Structure formats: C-alpha cells, structure tokens
Amino acid sequence: MIGKSRLGKLLVEKEIIDKETLDKALMIQADEDPSNPRRLEEILTSDLRIDHDAIYGLLADLYAFRTIDIDLDKLDQNQIKRTKEILSRFPEDFKRELLYNKVLPYRIAYGRKNTLIVLSADPTNKIVEKIPLNTEFKKYEVVFCRLKIIEELIETIAPQKNEFLELLEEAGEQIEEVDETGKVTGVDEYALDEEINKSLLVNLFEACLVEAVRQGASDIHIIPYQRSSVDFFFRIDGRLHRWHRQDNTSPEAIAAVVKDRSTGVDRFERDTAQDGFAQRLVDGHLIRFRVSILPIISAEYERRFESVVIRVIDDRNVITDLEKLGFQKQAEKDFLKAISTSKGIVLLTGPTGSGKSTTLMAALYHVIDPSKNVLTCEDPVEYVIRGARQLKIGHKMSFENAVRSILRHDPDIVMVGEIRDKITADVAIKLANTGHLTFSTLHTNDAPSAISRLYKMGIEPFLLAYAINIIVAQRLVRKLCPYCKKPLSKEKYQAALELGLTEEDLKSGKIYEAGKGCKKCTEGYKGRINICEALYFSHEVRKAIVESGEEIDEELIRNIAEKQGMLSLRDSGLDRIRNGLTTISEVAYATTEE
C-alpha cells in the first residue's frame, strides 16, 4: 500500500509515522466516498492525531513553500495594526472563511510588484486561490507557518466573535425586574414567553454553547440563583468556573429556553427528570450537546426550579493514539501487551470524570481493523467510533438484553460500557473465556479493589484470575501552565514531604506550584494528564488470586504488582510532580483515598 502515496512514503522514510499508521490511514481513506475522499494528511492529523506541523511542514518542503517562524513575544504593534488594515480590505464572509481555514493575510512585501504574504498552516489549501477573485490583491505568496503560531496570531489580530453575545451587547439592558408578587412563578406560559422575547434569552443560551466549545468546557451547568438570577458555569479541566450570572431573569424562563432549543424534552414538564440533545455548527465543526434536566427544590415552594447540565461532545477531543494518553513507561508497556491479545478483559476503574472512557476509546482505535467485528454497548453513546457497531440502549433494549445479545452476534472485540452487576460481569467473563477481547469499566478506588468487587459480585477467583488481562485505575490531574508556573514556595515543603517527596526532590528545583494565571491558562493550569496504576495479570498475580480464601488479599496482590514495576496512584502522581507537570495539591486531592 505504501507505493500509493508519495507523501506517505516520505513520512515513513522521515520516521514521522510508521508503516502501520500509514496503512491505517489509507484504509480509512479507501472506506470513504470515492467521489470526495479526504486527503491523506487530513486523515493523519484529524483521525490519527499525528502532529500537524510535522505533516504539513514536510508537505511545504515537498512543494517548495517557504517556512516562516514568528516570535509572538516580539510581535510589533505596528505589524498588528498593518495586518488588521489588510484584513479590513477583505469581504467579511471571505475573511471569516480564510481564518477558519487557518490562513492569515499577514503583510505586504513591497517591490516591483507588491506581493501579499499569506501565512497558512496548510500551504496547499486551495482557498488562497480565491484571494485575487475576492480582493484587490492580485499577487500573493503562500508561506507555511506552524499551526499554534497562526492560531495565536489570529487570536491576537482577529479574535473570533460570538455573534450572539454581540447581539446582547447591542441590545443593552432590556431585562426588567421579575414581578416580585410571584405571578411569573406560577409558571404563566404567556408571561414566560414575554420575558424570553424581551430579554433575548435565546441569544444568551446560544452564546453560552459557542463559548463553552471555544473555551474547551466539558460541561455547562445552568443553576437557579435566588428568585430572579441564574448562574452559568463551565467545567474546564475538571473544575467548575462561573461564566456568567444572568440577573433580573426568572430561572423558569431560562429553563424554558433550554427546552425549546433542545430535542427530546417537554417544555411543559417540570416534575420529572428529562434527557434531550442538541447540535450546533460552531466554527465550522458539528458539535453535539447532551442535555440533562432535573427538578430541584427552592426555598419558595411555589416555584418550579430546574437544574440543567449540558455535556459538550466535540469529536475533535477524541484521542485515537494511545501514545497521546501520556501513560508512564511501565503502564504503557503493560497496557499495550494486554490489548494486543485476542482474548481477555481490559478493565478501567476510577470515579466519574477520571478519563476511563477516553482511555477505552484510544484502546479501541488501536485494535480496530476491518477484519474484526467490534461491538460496543454504551449508555449513552457519546462518540461515534469509526469501524465499530455501537448498540444504543433504550426502553426497548435494556442494558442486560443488549449485553446478552452481543454473545450471539459473532463479535471479535466487545466494549461493555460498565460492569454494573453480576449479569454483566458474567457476560464479560464468558466473552473473555470464549476468545473475545473485552473492554469495560468499573467504579472502584484502585486496581486491587476491583478484583474484590468482582469477587463480591459472585465471580469465582479462578475465573477472575484467568479472564482478566489488566486492571488500570486512573485519575486526571490538572497540568501546570508552562508559562506562569513557579518554583514551590518553602512554606509548602512540609506538605510535599508528607505527600512522599524527598529533600533531594525539593532541592532539585524541579518542583513547581501554580502561578496566578495568564492569558494562556485558567488559574495557573492548562489541560489535564492522567495518573494511574496498571495492575497487569502476571503468573504471580493470577496465582495469588486463585489461592485466595474467603476474601481477596488486596495488599498481597498490590505488593506483587509493585515488585513487578507497577506504580501506585500516589507514586504515579509523585512522578508527575518530579517532572514539573502538576502540583502537590492536585495529586493530594486525586489520591486522598489511599
């Protein structure tokens, strides 16, 4: 297959990708609509998460495009002004299209014929050919520039606008005080509609969806605050941050807007939990939103308050490359060994929000190929997995029925969203013991306790020992912002020592704490990284489980695993601290149960 792509051959020769990755990309390309297949470089960067600059930098060299590197810290204010002036000469729609494609008309090179210098993260993007047709600039030169540099330039020179927020600002303060007599609180639908129209709440809700996507929020929380205010929170890197407080507005009106703008929920039902969904095109990407609505109690018994939580489902955040998960060396080695067999259970444990689903998704993408029948049973299905058949749980097909039906559907690889009870545990064990690779999750604090949990469900030790390949317990901790992190202050040394760091660690100068925050982060943190303990089922571990009496000896199993190189959650976190990636407070918070 390698001969079919000159670019692919070069990428392998330059060791940017390996042959296996190239074959996987070519298979994806072959499965697409032959009348409009995506380019190889797009599949490699978007689906397989290969470094954008490595791919397109090689492409720039291949087609002899110049490369430019801009130091943003030394960016001249006059240059910003000149670039803004150039952009002002472009039609608004065309300018928006260019910036969406990460193409930035940057400056004019004056000479015999003035030439417009155009920066592009993809120098082969054909959109630049429209410049002479849409503008006064008839001569241009496309120059390759790294994606991150272009994104930061665009954010500095032409930041994205939120048209819904602009409409709210233009309208000014149109919101009047809610009737203090409580007439609106009796849920007069006409009064609610009047309030919604008067206060432009639809624009506020739509603006909220757009901003959540742009800020990388995983969830939106909309919560009544007193009788006439509503708080909007974004969950970013695992923590809630208040985005906006809407005053002088009844919470019932906000809830009505959410229901009107979502599918699958009843606006007039206020006494039961409801689940719905929505989807929007944000900056050219289709984003899905899962809406959960719960009735909640208010101090004013006559009010009908509801709490709204909206999960943001952005397929661009799916990790399909195991290396991008950032496992530590021994954990990654054991995990790859566990998923590279034809049978057995791969079990992820941890609380909600610990990254279990992300790890499972990356593992599935690693093992999926057209020769295998991959089935998933999830509740709910959030991300579409290319190459898998995904079962949707509903009132006509329960979780238990779906899991049992999988056995009769000739699977090679199965993902059961969660082992909930003995029924699903039995099916997972049966799948593993009949030659199927099985992925699932379980809610326990650490890896050894997952064995005890399954044993207490009624699974025999012998079956447990020989059905499971690996149990990975994980947490997510916030990563320090590399731009504003600072050395650990001396008053925190004692806490660091109590956590498990040594005097030598503290003297190394590599232990940091969060700064006050900068424009590139949120309160001193940017992104998250996992800490985990990966309990690989070696011969010694299996033997210890089989020889268990009436209880699983978790401490014995842990000792065996740690002698074989397993890091505990705490030790994994300490390793992250020593590498300057996170803080003692983050690791302490994530491992308090140890």
Side-chain angles (χ1 to χ4, degrees):
M1 294 182 78
I2 199 166
K4 292 184 179 180
S5 167
R6 183 184 172 197
L7 173 63
K9 188 174 181 180
L10 274 172
L11 288 168
V12 173
E13 285 176 1
K14 299 282 186 181
E15 297 184 346
I16 295 170
I17 62 172
D18 55 24
K19 186 178 181 300
E20 182 186 349
T21 303
L22 175 61
D23 288 345
K24 193 178 287 188
L26 291 172
M27 283 180 184
I28 292 171
Q29 193 178 49
D31 287 341
E32 295 190 343
D33 181 0
S35 64
N36 188 30
R38 286 182 299 161
R39 295 152 61 200
L40 178 66
E41 53 267 33
E42 185 182 342
I43 292 170
L44 286 168
T45 53
S46 64
D47 290 25
L48 302 180
R49 304 287 176 171
I50 305 300
D51 181 68
H52 179 282
D53 295 333
I55 300 287
Y56 286 94
L58 182 63
L59 201 62
D61 290 340
L62 188 61
Y63 291 107
F65 287 100
R66 275 200 306 132
T67 296
I68 189 170
D69 196 16
I70 297 170
D71 187 342
L72 293 168
D73 293 329
K74 297 178 181 178
L75 191 61
D76 184 79
Q77 287 299 317
N78 289 327
Q79 180 58 64
I80 294 174
K81 186 177 178 182
R82 286 193 292 270
T83 303
K84 285 182 176 179
E85 195 277 323
I86 290 169
L87 286 170
S88 69
R89 290 146 75 178
F90 280 68
E92 199 61 38
D93 288 346
F94 183 52
K95 178 174 73 175
R96 195 179 297 117
E97 190 179 358
L98 285 173
L99 298 179
Y100 164 67
N101 280 277
K102 306 300 182 252
V103 174
L104 177 65
Y106 185 58
R107 63 182 177 85
I108 297 171
Y110 294 98
R112 189 166 58 86
K113 286 188 177 179
N114 295 343
T115 302
L116 177 67
I117 304 300
V118 181
L119 308 183
S120 178
D122 172 11
T124 63
N125 195 321
K126 293 189 179 297
I127 191 173
V128 294
E129 296 173 3
K130 298 179 182 178
I131 289 176
L133 301 174
N134 287 276
T135 72
E136 65 195 71
F137 301 103
K138 304 306 175 190
K139 187 176 181 184
Y140 63 88
E141 179 191 358
V142 181
V143 178
F144 170 68
C145 185
R146 287 183 291 133
L147 178 62
K148 187 177 179 182
I149 297 295
I150 285 199
E151 287 177 339
E152 293 197 22
L153 279 171
I154 290 172
E155 187 60 32
T156 301
I157 295 167
Q160 294 170 312
K161 295 179 180 178
N162 189 323
E163 58 187 291
F164 301 105
L165 283 179
E166 287 182 338
L167 285 170
L168 285 171
E169 288 168 6
E170 288 171 11
E173 290 293 327
Q174 294 190 21
I175 301 170
E176 298 177 12
E177 293 288 340
V178 176
D179 183 359
E180 290 299 320
T181 64
K183 289 182 180 177
V184 173
T185 66
V187 196
D188 180 332
E189 301 299 340
Y190 293 108
L192 277 186
D193 282 332
E194 184 181 342
E195 183 177 358
I196 290 165
N197 295 330
K198 179 171 60 181
S199 55
L200 297 176
L201 293 183
V202 170
N203 286 330
L204 175 62
F205 175 62
E206 294 296 333
C208 173
L209 297 182
V210 172
E211 284 302 302
V213 173
R214 288 180 178 171
Q215 292 188 30
S218 62
D219 299 89
I220 302 164
H221 289 240
I222 303 175
I223 311 165
Y225 176 76
Q226 299 178 349
R227 63 179 292 118
S228 60
S229 296
V230 179
D231 281 338
F232 290 73
F233 287 87
F234 291 164
R235 187 177 292 280
I236 299 172
D237 294 336
R239 303 295 172 93
L240 287 173
H241 303 271
R242 194 174 76 186
W243 171 69
H244 176 72
R245 172 169 289 168
Q246 183 66 30
D247 291 318
N248 305 325
T249 301
S250 68
E252 291 94 338
I254 296 279
V257 169
V258 173
K259 293 174 183 177
D260 285 344
R261 306 291 292 176
S262 306
T263 303
V265 292
D266 181 357
R267 170 177 168 174
F268 305 104
E269 177 56 69
R270 295 183 177 89
D271 295 319
T272 63
Q274 296 192 73
D275 293 309
F277 66 92
Q279 59 183 32
R280 300 287 188 274
L281 204 62
V282 179
D283 299 330
H285 295 278
L286 186 66
I287 309 295
R288 286 166 289 136
F289 301 91
R290 196 179 77 226
V291 182
S292 172
I293 301 171
L294 284 175
I296 58 175
I297 295 299
S298 161
E300 303 163 77
Y301 71 91
E302 76 279 5
R303 300 297 291 267
R304 310 291 285 278
F305 286 173
E306 292 169 289
S307 169
V308 178
V309 175
I310 302 171
R311 170 61 55 90
V312 181
I313 302 171
D314 186 344
D315 289 313
R316 293 171 296 175
N317 296 330
V318 174
I319 296 175
T320 57
D321 184 351
L322 268 178
E323 290 183 7
K324 299 279 173 56
L325 289 174
F327 275 136
Q328 283 140 316
K329 192 173 182 180
Q330 184 65 39
E332 182 175 346
K333 178 184 172 184
D334 288 339
F335 192 68
L336 280 169
K337 201 191 315 180
I339 68 174
S340 299
T341 63
S342 60
K343 64 179 182 178
I345 298 173
V346 174
L347 196 59
L348 274 292
T349 80
T352 302
S354 60
K356 300 188 298 293
S357 297
T358 300
T359 301
L360 280 182
M361 199 75 67
L364 274 176
Y365 272 107
H366 186 83
V367 298
I368 284 175
D369 72 54
S371 69
K372 296 185 178 77
N373 175 19
V374 181
L375 293 171
T376 76
C377 178
E378 306 162 78
D379 182 20
V381 174
E382 288 192 348
Y383 295 100
V384 176
I385 304 171
R386 194 188 302 272
R389 306 175 203 179
Q390 294 172 267
L391 280 67
K392 183 180 178 183
I393 306 304
H395 65 279
K396 291 186 177 180
M397 181 168 66
S398 68
F399 196 85
E400 289 73 19
N401 289 339
V403 169
R404 283 173 170 155
S405 298
I406 281 174
L407 287 165
R408 300 188 293 273
H409 212 72
D410 187 30
D412 295 295
I413 298 169
V414 175
M415 183 178 87
V416 179
E418 182 185 345
I419 293 179
R420 304 179 172 195
D421 48 33
K422 191 174 187 300
I423 295 171
T424 48
D426 281 337
V427 173
I429 295 290
K430 188 172 182 180
L431 281 164
N433 286 333
T434 52
H436 303 87
L437 184 59
T438 307
F439 296 91
S440 193
T441 68
L442 191 67
H443 286 280
T444 60
N445 288 333
D446 57 22
S449 65
I451 305 170
S452 295
R453 174 80 181 277
L454 291 169
Y455 176 66
K456 288 170 184 175
M457 281 184 185
I459 308 300
E460 292 296 325
F462 178 84
L463 292 174
L464 283 175
Y466 290 97
I468 298 173
N469 295 348
I470 194 170
I471 300 174
V472 178
Q474 70 176 55
R475 305 286 187 276
L476 292 177
V477 293
R478 291 184 293 174
K479 286 176 69 178
L480 278 165
C481 171
Y483 297 98
C484 67
K485 68 182 181 181
K486 59 185 183 181
L488 186 70
S489 55
K490 289 192 175 181
E491 57 264 27
K492 295 182 181 176
Y493 276 18
Q494 186 58 40
L497 292 170
E498 289 173 5
L499 190 70
L501 292 171
T502 64
E503 292 282 359
E504 289 72 24
D505 291 329
L506 296 175
K507 289 175 184 175
S508 70
K510 295 179 180 179
I511 311 300
Y512 295 92
E513 62 180 286
K516 292 182 179 179
C518 63
K519 64 179 182 179
K520 295 184 179 181
C521 70
T522 304
E523 298 176 357
Y525 296 93
K526 183 67 176 176
R528 291 189 289 176
I529 193 168
N530 75 43
I531 59 173
C532 75
E533 57 182 28
L535 174 56
Y536 183 76
F537 275 45
S538 63
H539 173 73
E540 291 81 3
V541 170
R542 295 186 198 277
K543 185 170 181 287
I545 296 170
V546 170
E547 292 175 355
S548 295
E550 294 185 358
E551 277 195 29
I552 300 293
D553 190 338
E554 295 179 21
E555 201 56 41
L556 173 63
I557 292 168
R558 176 177 292 282
N559 290 336
I560 293 169
E562 288 183 354
K563 284 177 184 175
Q564 295 173 349
M566 181 188 86
L567 291 175
S568 69
L569 280 168
R570 176 65 58 86
D571 288 338
S572 176
L574 291 173
D575 182 66
R576 298 299 195 194
I577 294 172
R578 292 186 185 104
N579 285 290
L581 295 172
T582 191
T583 62
I584 57 171
S585 59
E586 282 293 299
V587 172
Y589 179 79
T591 61
T592 48
E593 66 270 13
E594 285 203 324

